[in-house]
């Protein structure tokens, strides 16, 4: 079975500071990218919702200098990310499984759309300001509201199970070797 069009959709972007609660509230860090990089991609109508796929980060590790994220009126998000001198390498530089969320986070009633990628991998360091290449491979569900943070976390963990299940299907086997990813 071939991958269902329009997937795979490759997106190249940069990791920007988000709302600063993925790790603190949920224990599920998400690398945020400018939402436009998703909405202008080949994903149909750049629709909001939860997706699965693969991601690879490259460049340097970096931390977030934003004193008060998100920088709502600050279009130059890169100014709040400081690169450190060490290059992303080893397991951290591999093509890794991910789940991503695009939209307004109904649970938090965000005023601004976000696109954020949770990579299922333990990184040695933060990588704000790094490059990220994403292969969006399919849609899981629309965004929804929840009665509690725990209910949101449970649903995200369920999304991760669905992702592993879908990624184990043969049509996705070759995507990690796609030339869009770097093979260093
Ligand atoms: P923010 O609101 O600024 O996005 P998060 O709490 O969501 O903050 O944390 C995201 C940051 O954590 C990423 O930008 C990245 O530097 C780092 N990070 C560490 N591990 C991961 C991971 N497994 N997936 C995504 N980001 C991660
Ligand atoms: N936020 C919501 O408000 N509703 C959702 O249904 C929802 N689903 C998510 C699914 C995944 C796989 C991920 C990584 C995040 C999801 N979020 C959702 C976003 C979550 O609220 C956000 O990552 C944190 O608020 C940190 O920015
Ligand atoms: Mg985040």
């Amino acid at each position: 079975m071939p991958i269902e069009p329009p997937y795979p959709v490759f997106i190249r972007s940069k990791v920007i500071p988000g709302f600063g609660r993925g790790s603190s509230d949920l224990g599920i860090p998400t690398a945020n990218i400018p939402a436009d990089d998703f909405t202008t991609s080949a994903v149909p109508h750049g629709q909001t919702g939860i997706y699965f796929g693969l991601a690879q980060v490259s460049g340097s590790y970096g931390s977030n200098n934003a004193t008060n994220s998100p920088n709502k009126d600050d279009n130059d998000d890169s100014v709040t990310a400081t690169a450190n001198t060490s290059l992303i390498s080893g397991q951290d530089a591999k093509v890794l499984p991910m789940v991503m969320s695009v939209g307004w986070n109904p649970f938090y009633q965000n005023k601004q759309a976000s696109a954020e990628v949770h990579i299922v991998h333990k990184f040695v360091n933060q990588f704000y300001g790094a490059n990220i290449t994403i292969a969006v491979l399919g849609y899981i569900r629309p965004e929804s509201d929840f009665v509690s943070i725990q209910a949101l976390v449970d649903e995200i963990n369920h999304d991760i199970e669905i992702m592993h299940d879908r990624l184990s299907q043969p049509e996705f086997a070759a995507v990690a070797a796609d030339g869009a990813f770097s093979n260093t």
Side-chain angles (χ1 to χ4, degrees), residues 4 6 30 33 38 46 66 72 79 85-86 96 115 119 137 140 145 150 154 183:
E4 252 181 75
T30 59
I33 64 168
F38 182 89
K72 289 194 177 67
V79 297
T85 46
S86 61
L96 298 162
I119 301 173
L137 296 177
I140 300 180
D145 199 356
Q150 190 53 51
D154 288 349
N183 55 9

Side-chain angles (χ1 to χ4, degrees), residues 15 17-23 29-32 64 117-119 121 123 126-128:
V15 178
F19 294 89
R21 66 186 172 219
S23 311
T30 59
N32 290 53
N64 178 11
V117 179
H118 172 63
I119 301 173
H121 173 71
F123 286 86
Q126 292 187 318
F127 48 86
Y128 285 102

Side-chain angles (χ1 to χ4, degrees), residues 69-146:
S69 57
N71 26 27
K72 289 194 177 67
D73 305 306
D74 179 359
N75 289 320
D76 186 6
D77 295 297
S78 60
V79 297
T80 58
T82 319
N84 86 28
T85 46
S86 61
L87 284 178
I88 298 169
S89 62
Q91 292 303 118
D92 289 4
K94 296 270 191 270
V95 176
L96 298 162
M98 67 79 174
V99 281
M100 89 180 276
S101 163
V102 181
W104 286 270
N105 296 181
F107 182 72
Y108 289 99
Q109 302 183 301
N110 290 353
K111 300 281 181 289
Q112 212 186 20
S114 66
E116 37 180 314
V117 179
H118 172 63
I119 301 173
V120 180
H121 173 71
K122 178 99 184 76
F123 286 86
V124 303
N125 218 329
Q126 292 187 318
F127 48 86
Y128 285 102
N131 305 309
I132 185 167
T133 303
I134 296 163
V136 185
L137 296 177
Y139 182 76
I140 300 180
R141 63 174 175 90
E143 292 188 284
S144 43
D145 199 356
F146 296 92

